[in-house]
Structures are given as C-alpha cells and as structure tokens.
Amino acid sequence: MTVETPSETKAIEFPDGIPGFPHLRRFALVEIVEDGAFQLLQSLEDEDVAMVVCVPWLFFPDYAPELAEDDREALGLERPEDAVVFCPVTLEPENDSVHLNLMGPFVVHRETLIGRQVVLADSDYPVRATVDLGGA
Amino acid sequence: MLILTRREGESIRIGHDIVITVVEVRGSQVRIGVDAPRSVQVHRAEVYDQVVEENRAAVRTLDRSAEILRTQVPPKEH
C-alpha cells in the first residue's frame, strides 16, 4: 500500500525499521503547519502509522545526544552536522501535557536520508521529557 | 524458547554473524558479551521496550497532539 504525500516529499529510509514498527522502513516528514515547530513522521507504507516529532533543541537547548560508534557507522555519519535529529512526541491524554522522547531520538543522515532511531541507553535522558509550550 | 546451558567463556552463535558469550557469572548476575554486525541494534530489553512503548503512544495520541501542536510556532531565536 502506498500513502499519498506531496510529490516533492523525500522518503527517509529506516533500514532496520523503528522499535514497535520494525516492518515499516519508509517514512516522510510532513509539515503540520508551515514553519511549525512540530512535524509529522508519516509511514509511506501504512497510512495509520504516523507520529508527531520535534527538533529537541527548540525546547531543550542543552540536549547533547552522544551516538554510539555503531550508530554513526551504520548511518555513515562522519560529521555531527550531517545528522538531522528529531524526537517522538507523546501526549498525556489526562492533561494534554506534551512530552519528547529524548532517550530515543531519530537520527537521519542529511544527504543519504538513511535514518535510525537510536537508543541512548547509557544516557540520563528520559523517554518522557515534559515540554513547556508556554515557553515556546 | 530454546534453552542452552553455558559456562563462563562459552558462547552461542546465532545465525552466521552473531555471537553471544557468557563473560562472567557472579552470584545472581551474568555479564554477557555480544558480537553482532552494526546493522543489528543490541539493547537491554527493558530499555528497548520503553522506546517501543513511547513510539506506540506517539502514534496512538497523534490526532490529539497534532490538534494541540498545530498552533505552536518555533520559539524565537535568542
């Protein structure tokens, strides 16, 4: 099955899939609103699978994820500036509070558009960092 | 589940290129070494499971979060 997205959308390839959805490999970043802080990571193979994602530094300017050598090599990342980083966004249904997963960011090579969701297991970054939208 | 008995220093091979080695056994703890290709991500299960659960939650709460976040613009550059 294919999912319709704007024709200029470039596909990001996750060769290993992503945790929870290992069978899905091709995704696209879609804007929710023009120049918005949040984007949609939409599966190109299953229209029901999409999540909001966000560049972490907008809300956590000191965020400094350290990639394992295996991750850097798997992505062909030679320089930090080759990496595009964004984090999954979850919502607490009870109170509509917004969280970023800082422990499991998506890292995509800017040129090849090959990506991986890395797991920063040895970091102290939480899977649910509360976003202060009022500060945005 | 396949269950094998191994001693310290002994290994298990999975497929052609994954080797699991029992490095040390001490009391109730076991240190395990994993040799795997870079394409295979190796994590403690409970940590990986957390990321799985967050991804599922992100997909599950998409409609409401998109609705709330549609109005959010990037913070001003300092």
Side-chain angles (χ1 to χ4, degrees):
Chain A
M1 187 183 70
T2 55
V3 177
E4 296 223 359
T5 57
S7 54
E8 70 273 18
T9 305
K10 289 184 192 153
I12 298 170
E13 180 93 25
F14 293 91
D16 324 316
I18 64 174
F21 305 94
H23 56 298
L24 300 177
R25 306 290 157 96
R26 296 176 68 242
F27 287 78
L29 276 180
V30 183
E31 292 197 319
I32 299 177
V33 289
E34 203 177 336
D35 292 331
F38 298 90
Q39 291 180 298
L40 208 60
L41 184 67
Q42 169 71 58
S43 165
L44 295 172
E45 296 154 320
D46 182 346
E47 63 179 347
D48 291 333
V49 176
M51 66 175 79
V52 176
V53 294
C54 176
V55 174
W57 293 287
L58 292 173
F59 298 101
F60 302 95
D62 297 332
Y63 184 56
E66 249 188 62
L67 296 195
E69 194 189 333
D70 282 2
D71 291 325
R72 286 202 306 271
E73 290 207 4
L75 293 170
L77 286 173
E78 287 170 6
R79 305 170 305 168
E81 54 267 38
D82 289 336
V84 179
V85 178
F86 45 92
C87 295
V89 175
T90 54
L91 190 86
E92 198 68 59
E94 286 81 43
N95 57 9
D96 280 354
S97 67
V98 173
H99 307 272
L100 289 195
N101 180 353
L102 297 181
M103 196 182 76
F106 294 103
V107 181
V108 178
H109 192 295
R110 191 179 296 284
E111 302 294 331
T112 63
L113 298 181
I114 301 287
R116 166 180 275 197
Q117 186 172 20
V118 303
V119 178
L120 305 172
D122 296 324
S123 76
D124 288 331
Y125 290 119
V127 289
R128 289 203 165 190
T130 305
V131 171
D132 178 11
L133 289 175
Chain B
M1 188 194 301
L2 171 68
I3 297 174
L4 303 167
T5 302
R6 305 273 63 197
R7 296 176 193 282
E8 267 185 22
E10 293 183 336
S11 300
I12 295 167
R13 186 172 278 275
I14 301 174
H16 296 296
D17 45 18
I18 298 176
V19 178
I20 314 281
T21 304
V22 177
V23 176
E24 187 184 1
V25 180
R26 194 169 23 176
S28 62
Q29 283 199 320
V30 182
R31 297 182 71 219
I32 294 171
V34 181
D35 260 324
R38 296 199 192 284
S39 59
V40 178
Q41 290 178 272
V42 179
H43 300 293
R44 294 178 184 87
E46 67 275 18
V47 174
Y48 180 87
D49 291 347
Q50 269 190 305
V51 175
V52 167
E53 180 42 43
E54 286 307 295
N55 280 353
R56 289 188 179 143
V59 170
R60 207 164 48 229
T61 58
L62 165 68
D63 289 345
R64 179 69 181 140
S65 48
E67 184 188 330
I68 291 174
L69 300 173
R70 192 160 279 136
T71 56
Q72 298 297 322
V73 294
K76 296 262 185 300
E77 296 287 336
H78 293 293

